[in-house]
Amino acid sequence: MLTPWPTGLLPEDSEGTVSTPWGPVRVMSGSVEGLLAAQDGRWGASIEGADVEAMHADRHGRWYRAEHEGAAYDVLMCTFGTGRALSSLAQQADRAEALRATNRIQLPVGGCTVDGHDLLFIWPHASALGINDVDLLEQFRVAGTVLGALEPWSTPPVERRWNDAMATVEQRLGTSTLWRAPHDRATVGLPDLQLSFHSLVEGEEGPRFRPLPRTVDEALTDVVGRRPGLAHAMALEGEAVEAGRATEAGGPEAWFKAWSEGAPAAWSNPRARSTYRGGLWIWRYANVMRWRGRALAWDDHELQAATKSWLEDVDRLQARLGVLRMWRSLLWLGAAGLAAAWYAHALGSLTQTASVALAGASVAIAAVGWVRYRVAEPGPF
């Protein structure tokens, strides 16, 4: 069972730790039967001796169906080492329990790690669902609820870290775009979790998200770490648009509203959504950069063209924001005019009438600049 290979990143005969233009990559090895029987690095449920049947392969690795003591399991053996974020989350009892309490997520129940990387995952068997098989509004609302369950473990915004990570991605992908954002204080970081409409499975109360590890390209080009809820919302929005459902169920604005109903209210307040502070657009940008990495690593020429076109729009948006910041600078000009009017009057350099006129003109200039800056802000949709 051959797995898809990122030929744009490393040769197909690569073994061990391989150097790539984007950083080192660990190519994992082993047999599924051997890993199920392994003692070192094993955690959670044990299904040693299970009857295993190969099912299919994808960018994550090889998938198997396992039968053990009358129960069925889905097993993933990863092709590349991308850290151990998922197994760590599944083994943190408080966070895992909070997620399971939503009844809309299926965490792995066992697995195996090798040299700091997740190599094997075990889930109770569940039938897969496609993105076109689900109610988008409901799933966005569920995603907000699932992420909201992690709010007790959120951390303040790490603006510098997010911006530095973005700079690294831009450098690795060789893009001409450059975007840094101040972010709102409500844009908190969340424990590392990968939600996707492409890994939904059936559940008793409706479709459930099955978090998967990052693919090799995502590990090297994603803005990794404690991403905020907005980043997850925009990643899901991108998947829905990519699947051709952009005009369904009210489109992105309605999807985001549904997501906001499930997530904590502060995450979607006006300042958090403001484009001047990054808002939704900075995380759309981060998501497209992730797609750009996928396109280059897996030699997807159609996706390369699509991401290039989107990034050209980013240049135009950046230019517009630059012009609007010039309007905001009129605030400083107005403040300087007010100070000059006060000092000129105090020193007797201007008559009272002239000082009042200068002050009035300064206030008018500042007001025009501020109103123009606020009214012309690019909306989130």
Side-chain angles (χ1 to χ4, degrees):
M1 180 170 54
L2 297 176
T3 59
W5 197 268
T7 53
L9 192 59
L10 70 165
E12 290 189 67
D13 58 353
S14 300
E15 297 180 351
T17 300
V18 184
S19 296
T20 76
W22 299 348
V25 170
R26 172 69 181 274
V27 182
M28 309 302 282
S29 61
S31 69
V32 64
E33 293 83 1
L35 291 171
L36 290 176
Q39 297 300 316
D40 293 340
R42 191 172 72 184
W43 61 272
S46 172
I47 56 172
E48 182 179 353
D51 293 325
V52 179
E53 177 186 2
M55 300 301 291
H56 66 278
D58 59 19
R59 291 184 302 115
H60 295 280
R62 298 180 177 88
W63 287 87
Y64 300 86
R65 175 77 175 269
E67 300 283 344
H68 182 68
E69 297 181 353
Y73 298 88
D74 296 323
V75 177
L76 169 64
M77 190 171 75
C78 301
T79 306
F80 300 98
T82 59
R84 54 186 302 269
L86 181 53
S87 63
S88 295
L89 180 64
Q91 292 178 80
Q92 291 174 314
D94 50 357
R95 303 178 191 192
E97 181 57 34
L99 288 170
R100 293 192 182 100
T102 67
N103 296 314
R104 302 305 289 271
I105 193 167
Q106 189 194 45
L107 293 174
V109 295
C112 182
T113 62
V114 175
D115 296 334
H117 295 288
D118 288 322
L119 179 51
L120 191 82
F121 289 104
I122 302 168
W123 291 270
H125 172 69
S127 298
L129 294 171
I131 188 173
N132 293 315
D133 300 328
V134 298
D135 182 328
L136 278 181
L137 290 181
E138 174 62 15
Q139 285 309 122
F140 271 98
R141 191 174 294 109
V142 167
T145 300
V146 168
L147 293 167
L150 294 174
E151 186 183 28
W153 299 278
S154 64
T155 52
V158 284
E159 170 189 322
R160 181 173 180 178
R161 181 178 175 186
W162 289 335
N163 286 332
D164 287 348
M166 193 75 74
T168 299
V169 172
E170 290 164 345
Q171 182 180 19
R172 287 179 177 176
L173 299 184
T175 62
S176 62
T177 48
L178 180 71
W179 197 340
R180 306 293 175 265
H183 299 290
D184 183 61
R185 63 183 180 182
T187 308
V188 295
L190 299 174
D192 203 341
L193 177 68
Q194 295 285 96
L195 298 182
S196 173
F197 287 142
H198 297 299
S199 59
L200 292 169
V201 296
E202 291 182 350
E204 293 182 359
E205 297 187 19
R208 292 181 294 174
F209 286 99
R210 175 185 277 178
L212 298 177
R214 284 184 173 84
T215 58
V216 60
D217 55 289
E218 290 171 340
L220 294 174
T221 62
D222 199 4
V223 181
V224 299
R226 300 181 66 88
R227 298 184 301 164
L230 293 181
H232 294 275
M234 293 303 97
L236 293 172
E237 176 193 275
E239 290 183 352
V241 171
E242 185 185 30
R245 303 188 67 178
T247 60
E248 293 185 29
E253 186 170 3
W255 304 342
F256 183 74
K257 181 180 179 181
W259 180 87
S260 302
E261 292 169 356
W267 294 0
S268 55
N269 73 57
R271 280 175 57 87
R273 290 185 283 111
S274 170
T275 305
Y276 290 135
R277 306 190 71 81
L280 307 190
W281 282 108
I282 188 71
W283 295 112
R284 287 191 182 107
Y285 173 63
N287 190 50
V288 171
M289 295 294 277
R290 180 167 62 93
W291 285 0
R292 181 72 177 169
R294 179 196 308 174
L296 295 172
W298 302 86
D299 286 326
D300 187 332
H301 299 291
E302 184 176 342
L303 186 57
Q304 286 182 35
T307 54
K308 180 181 179 182
S309 176
W310 199 96
L311 292 174
E312 288 172 352
D313 287 337
V314 168
D315 286 334
R316 288 188 280 271
L317 177 60
Q318 290 283 57
R320 182 179 174 188
L321 290 174
V323 170
L324 292 175
R325 290 189 180 98
M326 290 178 61
W327 281 99
R328 186 181 61 178
S329 68
L330 292 180
L331 280 172
W332 297 106
L333 182 61
L338 279 173
W342 186 86
Y343 278 109
H345 177 67
L347 296 173
S349 301
L350 291 177
T351 64
Q352 181 174 0
T353 300
S355 297
V356 170
L358 177 58
S362 300
V363 169
I365 290 172
V368 169
W370 179 249
V371 170
R372 173 65 176 169
Y373 175 72
R374 296 308 308 173
V375 170
E377 177 183 4
F381 300 100

PDB file of all heavy atoms in Angstrom, residues 78-95:
ATOM      1  N   CYS A  78       1.651   6.747  10.771  1.00  0.00           N
ATOM      2  CA  CYS A  78       2.111   7.976  10.135  1.00  0.00           C
ATOM      3  C   CYS A  78       3.372   7.735   9.298  1.00  0.00           C
ATOM      4  O   CYS A  78       4.249   6.962   9.685  1.00  0.00           O
ATOM      5  CB  CYS A  78       2.404   9.034  11.191  1.00  0.00           C
ATOM      6  SG  CYS A  78       0.982   9.444  12.228  1.00  0.00           S
ATOM      7  N   THR A  79       3.440   8.423   8.174  1.00  0.00           N
ATOM      8  CA  THR A  79       4.610   8.309   7.295  1.00  0.00           C
ATOM      9  C   THR A  79       5.751   9.192   7.768  1.00  0.00           C
ATOM     10  O   THR A  79       6.928   8.830   7.641  1.00  0.00           O
ATOM     11  CB  THR A  79       4.231   8.696   5.856  1.00  0.00           C
ATOM     12  OG1 THR A  79       3.105   7.916   5.433  1.00  0.00           O
ATOM     13  CG2 THR A  79       5.396   8.466   4.906  1.00  0.00           C
ATOM     14  N   PHE A  80       5.415  10.365   8.330  1.00  0.00           N
ATOM     15  CA  PHE A  80       6.439  11.333   8.724  1.00  0.00           C
ATOM     16  C   PHE A  80       6.247  11.741  10.184  1.00  0.00           C
ATOM     17  O   PHE A  80       5.130  11.758  10.708  1.00  0.00           O
ATOM     18  CB  PHE A  80       6.377  12.577   7.838  1.00  0.00           C
ATOM     19  CG  PHE A  80       6.606  12.292   6.386  1.00  0.00           C
ATOM     20  CD1 PHE A  80       5.531  12.162   5.515  1.00  0.00           C
ATOM     21  CD2 PHE A  80       7.887  12.130   5.880  1.00  0.00           C
ATOM     22  CE1 PHE A  80       5.735  11.895   4.174  1.00  0.00           C
ATOM     23  CE2 PHE A  80       8.105  11.854   4.541  1.00  0.00           C
ATOM     24  CZ  PHE A  80       7.023  11.731   3.678  1.00  0.00           C
ATOM     25  N   GLY A  81       7.351  12.076  10.805  1.00  0.00           N
ATOM     26  CA  GLY A  81       7.294  12.562  12.179  1.00  0.00           C
ATOM     27  C   GLY A  81       6.958  14.047  12.198  1.00  0.00           C
ATOM     28  O   GLY A  81       7.686  14.853  11.622  1.00  0.00           O
ATOM     29  N   THR A  82       5.866  14.399  12.856  1.00  0.00           N
ATOM     30  CA  THR A  82       5.444  15.804  12.913  1.00  0.00           C
ATOM     31  C   THR A  82       5.184  16.249  14.355  1.00  0.00           C
ATOM     32  O   THR A  82       4.336  17.095  14.605  1.00  0.00           O
ATOM     33  CB  THR A  82       4.186  16.034  12.053  1.00  0.00           C
ATOM     34  OG1 THR A  82       3.118  15.189  12.534  1.00  0.00           O
ATOM     35  CG2 THR A  82       4.446  15.714  10.597  1.00  0.00           C
ATOM     36  N   GLY A  83       5.898  15.636  15.307  1.00  0.00           N
ATOM     37  CA  GLY A  83       5.691  15.984  16.706  1.00  0.00           C
ATOM     38  C   GLY A  83       4.707  15.052  17.372  1.00  0.00           C
ATOM     39  O   GLY A  83       4.287  14.038  16.800  1.00  0.00           O
ATOM     40  N   ARG A  84       4.320  15.400  18.575  1.00  0.00           N
ATOM     41  CA  ARG A  84       3.373  14.553  19.306  1.00  0.00           C
ATOM     42  C   ARG A  84       2.278  15.374  19.970  1.00  0.00           C
ATOM     43  O   ARG A  84       1.842  15.091  21.083  1.00  0.00           O
ATOM     44  CB  ARG A  84       4.119  13.703  20.337  1.00  0.00           C
ATOM     45  CG  ARG A  84       5.009  14.468  21.315  1.00  0.00           C
ATOM     46  CD  ARG A  84       5.811  13.500  22.187  1.00  0.00           C
ATOM     47  NE  ARG A  84       4.966  12.603  22.925  1.00  0.00           N
ATOM     48  CZ  ARG A  84       4.492  12.842  24.153  1.00  0.00           C
ATOM     49  NH1 ARG A  84       4.810  13.966  24.776  1.00  0.00           N
ATOM     50  NH2 ARG A  84       3.736  11.963  24.760  1.00  0.00           N
ATOM     51  N   ALA A  85       1.812  16.391  19.255  1.00  0.00           N
ATOM     52  CA  ALA A  85       0.777  17.266  19.817  1.00  0.00           C
ATOM     53  C   ALA A  85      -0.525  16.511  20.085  1.00  0.00           C
ATOM     54  O   ALA A  85      -1.158  16.693  21.120  1.00  0.00           O
ATOM     55  CB  ALA A  85       0.520  18.447  18.877  1.00  0.00           C
ATOM     56  N   LEU A  86      -0.934  15.651  19.155  1.00  0.00           N
ATOM     57  CA  LEU A  86      -2.220  14.970  19.311  1.00  0.00           C
ATOM     58  C   LEU A  86      -2.196  13.963  20.449  1.00  0.00           C
ATOM     59  O   LEU A  86      -3.125  13.915  21.269  1.00  0.00           O
ATOM     60  CB  LEU A  86      -2.610  14.287  18.003  1.00  0.00           C
ATOM     61  CG  LEU A  86      -3.950  13.542  18.016  1.00  0.00           C
ATOM     62  CD1 LEU A  86      -5.079  14.441  18.489  1.00  0.00           C
ATOM     63  CD2 LEU A  86      -4.257  12.965  16.626  1.00  0.00           C
ATOM     64  N   SER A  87      -1.147  13.154  20.544  1.00  0.00           N
ATOM     65  CA  SER A  87      -1.089  12.179  21.637  1.00  0.00           C
ATOM     66  C   SER A  87      -0.979  12.887  22.983  1.00  0.00           C
ATOM     67  O   SER A  87      -1.545  12.429  23.986  1.00  0.00           O
ATOM     68  CB  SER A  87       0.090  11.225  21.444  1.00  0.00           C
ATOM     69  OG  SER A  87       1.329  11.911  21.496  1.00  0.00           O
ATOM     70  N   SER A  88      -0.285  14.008  23.021  1.00  0.00           N
ATOM     71  CA  SER A  88      -0.175  14.766  24.275  1.00  0.00           C
ATOM     72  C   SER A  88      -1.533  15.265  24.719  1.00  0.00           C
ATOM     73  O   SER A  88      -1.893  15.184  25.902  1.00  0.00           O
ATOM     74  CB  SER A  88       0.787  15.944  24.092  1.00  0.00           C
ATOM     75  OG  SER A  88       2.099  15.497  23.838  1.00  0.00           O
ATOM     76  N   LEU A  89      -2.309  15.794  23.778  1.00  0.00           N
ATOM     77  CA  LEU A  89      -3.643  16.288  24.118  1.00  0.00           C
ATOM     78  C   LEU A  89      -4.533  15.151  24.599  1.00  0.00           C
ATOM     79  O   LEU A  89      -5.254  15.284  25.597  1.00  0.00           O
ATOM     80  CB  LEU A  89      -4.263  16.969  22.897  1.00  0.00           C
ATOM     81  CG  LEU A  89      -5.671  17.553  23.088  1.00  0.00           C
ATOM     82  CD1 LEU A  89      -5.644  18.675  24.122  1.00  0.00           C
ATOM     83  CD2 LEU A  89      -6.214  18.080  21.762  1.00  0.00           C
ATOM     84  N   ALA A  90      -4.481  14.011  23.909  1.00  0.00           N
ATOM     85  CA  ALA A  90      -5.323  12.875  24.281  1.00  0.00           C
ATOM     86  C   ALA A  90      -4.973  12.326  25.652  1.00  0.00           C
ATOM     87  O   ALA A  90      -5.831  11.754  26.349  1.00  0.00           O
ATOM     88  CB  ALA A  90      -5.206  11.776  23.232  1.00  0.00           C
ATOM     89  N   GLN A  91      -3.714  12.494  26.070  1.00  0.00           N
ATOM     90  CA  GLN A  91      -3.287  11.949  27.358  1.00  0.00           C
ATOM     91  C   GLN A  91      -3.430  12.942  28.507  1.00  0.00           C
ATOM     92  O   GLN A  91      -3.219  12.562  29.665  1.00  0.00           O
ATOM     93  CB  GLN A  91      -1.821  11.508  27.255  1.00  0.00           C
ATOM     94  CG  GLN A  91      -1.619  10.316  26.337  1.00  0.00           C
ATOM     95  CD  GLN A  91      -0.160   9.932  26.224  1.00  0.00           C
ATOM     96  OE1 GLN A  91       0.404   9.259  27.096  1.00  0.00           O
ATOM     97  NE2 GLN A  91       0.476  10.350  25.147  1.00  0.00           N
ATOM     98  N   GLN A  92      -3.766  14.199  28.213  1.00  0.00           N
ATOM     99  CA  GLN A  92      -4.020  15.174  29.275  1.00  0.00           C
ATOM    100  C   GLN A  92      -5.479  15.020  29.693  1.00  0.00           C
ATOM    101  O   GLN A  92      -6.381  15.512  29.012  1.00  0.00           O
ATOM    102  CB  GLN A  92      -3.707  16.583  28.789  1.00  0.00           C
ATOM    103  CG  GLN A  92      -2.208  16.792  28.564  1.00  0.00           C
ATOM    104  CD  GLN A  92      -1.892  18.137  27.950  1.00  0.00           C
ATOM    105  OE1 GLN A  92      -2.524  18.564  27.001  1.00  0.00           O
ATOM    106  NE2 GLN A  92      -0.906  18.824  28.503  1.00  0.00           N
ATOM    107  N   ALA A  93      -5.690  14.340  30.811  1.00  0.00           N
ATOM    108  CA  ALA A  93      -7.026  13.887  31.185  1.00  0.00           C
ATOM    109  C   ALA A  93      -8.046  15.012  31.257  1.00  0.00           C
ATOM    110  O   ALA A  93      -9.186  14.854  30.790  1.00  0.00           O
ATOM    111  CB  ALA A  93      -6.960  13.153  32.525  1.00  0.00           C
ATOM    112  N   ASP A  94      -7.674  16.154  31.839  1.00  0.00           N
ATOM    113  CA  ASP A  94      -8.662  17.220  32.009  1.00  0.00           C
ATOM    114  C   ASP A  94      -9.103  17.792  30.664  1.00  0.00           C
ATOM    115  O   ASP A  94     -10.304  17.988  30.420  1.00  0.00           O
ATOM    116  CB  ASP A  94      -8.093  18.327  32.902  1.00  0.00           C
ATOM    117  CG  ASP A  94      -6.716  18.819  32.476  1.00  0.00           C
ATOM    118  OD1 ASP A  94      -6.158  18.262  31.506  1.00  0.00           O
ATOM    119  OD2 ASP A  94      -6.203  19.763  33.109  1.00  0.00           O
ATOM    120  N   ARG A  95      -8.160  18.042  29.773  1.00  0.00           N
ATOM    121  CA  ARG A  95      -8.499  18.606  28.469  1.00  0.00           C
ATOM    122  C   ARG A  95      -9.244  17.594  27.604  1.00  0.00           C
ATOM    123  O   ARG A  95     -10.213  17.950  26.917  1.00  0.00           O
ATOM    124  CB  ARG A  95      -7.232  19.090  27.760  1.00  0.00           C
ATOM    125  CG  ARG A  95      -6.469  20.107  28.581  1.00  0.00           C
ATOM    126  CD  ARG A  95      -5.192  20.555  27.928  1.00  0.00           C
ATOM    127  NE  ARG A  95      -4.377  21.327  28.867  1.00  0.00           N
ATOM    128  CZ  ARG A  95      -3.321  22.040  28.542  1.00  0.00           C
ATOM    129  NH1 ARG A  95      -2.924  22.084  27.284  1.00  0.00           N
ATOM    130  NH2 ARG A  95      -2.639  22.710  29.452  1.00  0.00           N
TER     131      ARG A  95
END
